[in-house]
Amino acid sequence: MVLVFQSQWRRGPTPEELQQLVEDKVREEVLYREALTLGLDKDDTIVKRRMAQKMQFLAEDVAAAREPTREELGAWFEANRDHFALPPRISFRHLYFSPDRRGERTRDDATAALTKLAGQPEDSNLATSLADAFMFQEYYRDRAPEFLGKEFGPNFALAVANLAPGSWQGPVESGYGWHLVFVDTLIPGRGPAFEEVEADVKMAWLAEQKAQAWQKAYQDMRAKYMVLLPAPAQNASPNGDTPHRKQNPTLSGERGT
């Protein structure tokens, strides 16, 4: 308790504060034991969920306790290389044409603006005079298609990723309206070397090991029990009678009912 207090307040507790910490701990333990005596841990959904969660954590911790070798991680990386592929990165400027302002002529206005911008550089003063104000950025640097899909919509992200760098192109439709786009740079996606993503590989490997350990532990625990479920109401017995239905599922096994 003293160490926890010191880490939080950067000083040791006073005698009065320490006494209060101790009394708080005693109160918690007394109330916990009295609650157990009264059976308050029974049929409590929150308590059940918390204890079930702790059992899952215990099963997963078994897997996390083992440190993988680099050779083991390298072999796992080769088998799961696609999960670590680096997406393409795009830098571009865009001009926005708003349907709210232009209505049905929005796309036609964008097409006409593209004709005027033929051969113009990215930072042309003419460019900004032709378009409408956009609520976000006019220039996006080093963005992945996934980001653009969330920002503008998947169709826009796909279209921009297929534009050749170096000129104004479009019109390209997004969830906001129409755009003319000038791609600065397009860095193709690639598969990284193991050394580049070793830390990420280890995290993914541990996550997989935890999931597998938990599934195995649960299946072992599940096998100890027989689960009795309510009979479906529509299932009638051969003589036409509706079978007796239990009101709640029953769980029985080596650990009790």
Side-chain angles (χ1 to χ4, degrees):
M1 286 186 288
V2 170
L3 290 175
V4 171
F5 187 95
Q6 288 175 338
S7 66
Q8 182 175 1
W9 300 101
R10 301 294 186 268
R11 64 174 178 83
T14 65
E16 293 78 13
E17 289 170 333
L18 181 57
Q19 182 179 356
Q20 187 60 53
L21 291 172
V22 172
E23 186 56 36
D24 289 345
K25 182 65 176 177
V26 170
R27 183 193 307 112
E28 179 185 78
E29 191 66 26
V30 168
L31 292 175
Y32 172 69
R33 296 189 183 196
E34 288 297 308
L36 290 179
T37 300
L38 294 175
L40 299 184
D41 58 317
K42 311 296 184 185
D43 300 320
D44 187 305
T45 301
I46 295 177
V47 172
K48 283 185 176 181
R49 288 176 181 171
R50 180 58 178 158
M51 294 181 70
Q53 186 182 52
K54 292 187 74 171
M55 285 298 298
Q56 182 171 349
F57 288 161
L58 286 173
E60 292 175 347
D61 285 344
V62 172
R66 186 174 75 83
E67 191 74 11
T69 64
R70 289 194 82 242
E71 291 73 17
E72 190 173 15
L73 286 180
W76 189 86
F77 168 73
E78 290 299 331
N80 297 273
R81 179 180 285 275
D82 290 346
H83 297 310
F84 301 93
L86 299 177
R89 314 292 295 189
I90 308 167
S91 297
F92 68 94
R93 187 177 302 279
H94 73 103
L95 299 177
Y96 172 59
F97 295 82
S98 170
D100 293 334
R101 289 192 57 188
R102 301 170 183 267
E104 294 182 357
R105 71 176 194 274
T106 305
R107 191 180 189 283
D108 292 337
D109 286 355
T111 301
L114 180 63
T115 301
K116 295 178 181 179
L117 288 171
Q120 293 290 320
E122 176 187 4
D123 56 354
S124 169
N125 292 330
L126 174 63
T128 55
S129 68
L130 296 172
D132 302 318
F134 188 60
M135 65 182 70
F136 301 128
Q137 301 168 233
E138 294 180 355
Y139 184 76
Y140 288 83
R141 183 186 299 278
D142 199 28
R143 301 294 189 178
E146 181 181 3
F147 172 88
L148 298 181
K150 294 177 181 178
E151 189 89 345
F152 294 93
N155 291 335
F156 179 91
L158 181 62
V160 171
N162 288 314
L163 295 179
S167 65
W168 286 105
Q169 298 179 68
V172 179
E173 188 176 18
S174 76
Y176 305 104
W178 292 90
H179 308 253
L180 298 182
V181 181
F182 191 111
V183 176
D184 270 349
T185 57
L186 175 61
I187 302 174
R190 64 183 180 87
F194 171 66
E195 291 73 18
E196 295 179 75
V197 292
E198 184 173 353
D200 294 332
V201 172
K202 182 177 180 180
M203 290 180 60
W205 181 89
L206 284 172
E208 181 180 274
Q209 295 302 306
K210 286 182 178 182
Q212 292 177 354
W214 160 239
Q215 286 300 321
K216 182 180 185 306
Y218 174 68
Q219 291 302 324
D220 290 344
M221 288 184 281
R222 179 72 162 74
K224 299 175 183 177
Y225 297 87
M226 178 176 62
V227 181
L228 304 179
L229 299 174
Q234 66 272 20
N235 285 0
S237 61
N239 59 10
D241 297 330
T242 300
H244 173 70
R245 300 177 71 243
K246 293 181 180 293
Q247 295 301 312
N248 296 297
T250 302
L251 189 67
S252 62
E254 296 180 11
R255 301 297 185 189
T257 302

